[in-house]
Amino acid sequence: MASGKVYLIGAGPGDPGLLTLKGQQYLADADVVIYDYLANPVLLGHARADAEKIYVGKVRGHHHLPQEETNALLAEKAAAGLQVVRLKGGDPYIFGRGGEEAAYLKERNIPFEVVPGVTAGFAAAAYAGIPLTHRDVTTSLALLTGHERPERKLSSLDWEKLATGLGTLIFYMGMANLKTISAELIRHGRDPQTPVAIVQWATLPRQRTLVGTLESIVADVAREGLEPPAVIIIGEVVNYREELRWYDNLPLFGKRFLITRPRAQAASFVQLLQQQGAETICIPTIEIVPPKDLAPFDDALRQLAGFDSLVLTSANAVSAFFQRLKENQLDLRSLAGVQIVAVGPKTAEAIEAYGLAPDLVPQNYRAEGVVEELLAQGVAGKRILYPHAEIARQLIVTDLTRAGAEVCAPIAYRTVIPQGKADMIRHLLAAGELDAICFSSSSTFDHLLAMLGDELKQLQGRAEFFSIGPLTSASIRKHDFEVALEPEQATLDALVAAMVDYYKQK
Ligand code: SAH
């Protein structure tokens, strides 16, 4: 039997991008992933689909599994010959009982490895705009726990030395004892005006930062209602925040958007939004599936060489085309000599990803643009292949046929409504937890309407509707819903830029 091993991996503070490359690699290889309350569950996406995932974090403040049982679980899985990843929030060796887990494994001769992570205090400082050390104000830094073992209480901290002998202090788990912490520091000689920053949910779009002084911070927190998980940063370096803020003043920071496009195509949109500080929730209202009858598409693919042009009008059509080509045991060579037309830059990009350069991308990124350019080129007697969605505009077929082309237009894919998602969206809307819903095609809206029915009307106004372009907007308005925003160009980049402008003006 292969020998098992435990990897104690720091998951970082929350932002999934702060996992190390090594951590990601071990996660991808793991047979079992045992994870914590503070480890971002999004990271489980790096693990194999068939890896066992076990949650041992907290449930409403209570530890789900006592530490002893977590230790035993790690040992048991590794002893069974499995590769075990123990994913812990922040860094495993900073206030995370990682040392106890490692010692338990060591005693039982179970091999282990430790992969450090970005600890919450460092990450909170970076994302709040606070350099933890700065030549001008301090050269030392201490990490402290504000919540010691009950039998020892905070009294075991040497307050006098902390108060006067160190520069920056970072308290973890200190919210419940904030009053004691600030009072003791003042009592032992720290200036009551020393700045304090509390950073809650650091590095996540719901990050909140509150700045006060040792004297005021207890009242400030009570007024603003900040809660754990939060770190407390104390010291003159906090003053740099005003100048060095970069994260929580991003244009879309604090906004939450529902993304309705299929997950496979949402990644670049999500990335664009996150770069502007937004929080995104992806619940696709459309799912792409093959046509009910594949014969017409397959027939066309088998005679590819007989076509003059191939017209692709969406990234979905591109993936459907190449996937089906492969399923027919064909490859790119069968496209030799066929002119490739892409409706717009995104479709062109999708084609280029397969190593092909489109011959024609019209200036006007719509079916009208394709028709215009092909007509200008002359289509009489030409054979044109146009694999399309089940519900597609007929413009390309009718206009090109009228001009004498022979258009073969098989259905390449269908969009269907994913099951079991309506409740999640209903709940988010009803709770007022969304700033806007982004619709990137008519079907993303039509399907949402089909999913929620009349309820969508009743929930009107709970979130704004953002549309990618005129066709999508028309579908929304047709049902008497308001479109709050539509960019000048129907692209995701333009939509994100318009969203940034929109909130700037608000
Ligand atoms: N091993 C972890 C710390 C675990 S102790 C690390 O290295 O970060 C748990 C404490 O960490 C919380 O009480 C809080 O003080 C802090 N913490 C963890 N994640 C945080 C986050 N995203 N924002 C603010 N504080 C966080």
Side-chain angles (χ1 to χ4, degrees):
M1 181 170 42
S3 67
K5 188 165 173 180
V6 176
Y7 298 86
L8 294 174
I9 296 180
D15 178 343
L18 294 174
L19 177 71
T20 61
L21 291 176
K22 204 165 184 179
Q24 178 177 344
Q25 186 58 52
Y26 286 144
L27 252 178
D29 293 341
D31 301 307
V32 187
V33 182
I34 298 175
Y35 64 105
D36 244 18
Y37 153 67
L38 285 169
N40 192 332
V42 168
L43 295 177
L44 298 178
H46 292 304
R48 297 194 323 251
D50 66 337
E52 188 185 2
K53 291 146 193 129
I54 306 172
Y55 178 70
V56 293
K58 285 187 196 174
V59 178
R60 272 179 244 105
H62 300 289
H63 276 280
H64 185 57
L65 208 62
Q67 185 66 44
E68 184 60 29
E69 285 177 38
T70 301
N71 294 348
L73 185 64
L74 294 175
E76 175 201 316
K77 295 287 180 187
L82 300 171
Q83 300 300 307
V84 183
V85 160
R86 168 72 172 117
L87 198 58
K88 295 174 77 70
D91 180 278
Y93 277 3
I94 303 284
F95 306 128
R97 306 188 73 171
E100 293 165 49
E101 290 175 12
Y104 184 96
L105 297 169
K106 178 75 195 172
E107 266 169 38
R108 284 155 188 80
N109 276 325
I110 290 168
F112 66 90
E113 190 170 323
V114 183
V115 180
V118 179
T119 189
F122 292 2
Y127 277 57
I130 300 169
L132 288 173
T133 66
H134 192 294
R135 286 206 298 180
D136 295 341
V137 294
T138 181
T139 51
S140 65
L141 164 69
L143 304 188
L144 307 142
T145 166
H147 173 84
E148 274 208 284
R149 291 184 176 184
E151 68 276 14
R152 282 202 293 176
K153 298 263 167 41
L154 281 175
S155 54
S156 73
L157 290 174
D158 188 335
W159 288 109
E160 194 170 331
K161 287 188 181 143
L162 286 182
T164 56
L166 282 160
T168 310
L169 308 177
I170 307 180
F171 280 90
Y172 289 63
M173 297 172 281
M175 292 302 273
N177 284 320
L178 183 62
K179 200 170 167 185
T180 314
I181 293 168
S182 48
E184 290 289 341
L185 288 173
I186 295 174
R187 194 159 73 87
H188 287 88
R190 259 283 161 116
D191 181 350
Q193 295 310 312
T194 306
V196 180
I198 307 231
V199 189
Q200 179 187 4
W201 287 120
T203 77
L204 291 165
R206 65 190 128 141
Q207 171 175 313
R208 281 183 74 195
T209 303
L210 177 68
V211 175
T213 62
L214 272 184
E215 202 169 31
S216 74
I217 199 72
V218 172
D220 297 337
V221 167
R223 190 185 61 238
E224 301 291 330
L226 263 72
E227 286 171 3
V231 290
I232 306 164
I233 305 176
I234 302 171
E236 299 304 320
V237 287
V238 168
N239 287 332
Y240 286 95
R241 167 170 160 80
E242 259 331 288
E243 189 189 335
L244 299 182
R245 271 175 86 163
W246 60 273
Y247 178 60
D248 54 6
N249 54 1
L250 284 170
L252 298 181
F253 182 82
K255 302 276 179 252
R256 190 182 284 160
F257 303 111
L258 182 68
I259 314 296
T260 52
R261 58 184 356 222
R263 209 166 285 276
Q265 292 143 41
S268 62
F269 187 36
V270 164
Q271 197 187 0
L272 285 172
L273 288 171
Q274 285 178 350
Q275 278 165 358
Q276 301 295 338
E279 179 169 3
T280 51
I281 299 177
C282 294
I283 307 179
T285 57
I286 59 182
E287 197 177 305
I288 311 291
V289 296
K292 286 192 192 114
D293 178 12
L294 279 161
F297 193 20
D298 286 348
D299 287 346
L301 290 172
R302 287 197 212 100
Q303 319 159 28
L304 262 181
F307 288 98
D308 297 292
S309 307
L310 167 67
V311 176
L312 295 166
T313 56
S314 70
N316 287 331
V318 175
S319 29
F321 178 85
F322 287 107
Q323 197 178 331
R324 202 60 210 157
L325 195 65
K326 191 169 172 203
E327 279 156 20
N328 277 285
Q329 270 99 46
L330 293 167
D331 64 26
L332 296 183
R333 286 169 296 180
S334 33
L335 274 167
V338 181
Q339 179 195 37
I340 301 175
V341 184
V343 71
K346 285 287 164 202
T347 307
E349 228 172 75
I351 294 171
E352 279 155 10
Y354 288 92
L356 284 170
D359 300 285
L360 182 65
V361 185
Q363 292 291 320
N364 171 4
Y365 311 154
R366 300 176 57 193
E368 282 80 355
V370 171
V371 167
E372 216 171 275
E373 305 244 358
L374 284 178
L375 289 183
Q377 189 183 290
V379 293
K382 292 276 159 66
R383 296 195 67 212
I384 295 172
L385 176 59
Y386 169 44
H388 60 83
E390 186 178 40
I391 318 167
R393 298 174 64 211
Q394 288 305 304
L395 189 88
I396 290 183
V397 178
T398 51
D399 286 18
L400 295 180
T401 308
R402 198 179 304 133
E406 188 189 322
V407 183
C408 170
I411 296 174
Y413 66 94
R414 293 180 296 140
T415 57
V416 296
I417 299 179
Q419 294 305 303
K421 300 289 170 67
D423 271 350
M424 285 153 80
I425 300 181
R426 189 179 292 124
H427 169 79
L428 285 167
L429 271 176
E433 288 189 4
L434 298 171
D435 289 280
I437 306 183
C438 304
F439 297 106
S440 51
S441 66
S442 293
S443 355
T444 55
F445 173 79
D446 291 340
H447 286 199
L448 179 68
L449 188 58
M451 285 159 85
L452 295 191
D454 289 343
E455 260 181 276
L456 191 59
K457 260 280 140 57
Q458 287 155 24
L459 291 168
Q460 196 163 16
R462 301 288 175 98
E464 294 186 296
F465 289 0
F466 294 168
S467 147
I468 193 164
L471 296 178
T472 306
S473 299
S475 304
I476 299 173
R477 293 198 182 105
K478 194 166 80 195
H479 295 278
D480 287 329
F481 287 93
E482 211 172 286
V483 176
L485 184 151
E486 180 198 306
E488 277 181 25
Q489 237 187 16
T491 65
L492 292 171
D493 300 76
L495 176 57
V496 174
M499 286 163 74
V500 168
D501 280 346
Y502 182 75
Y503 288 107
K504 235 182 241 163
Q505 280 159 25
K506 255 198 158 179

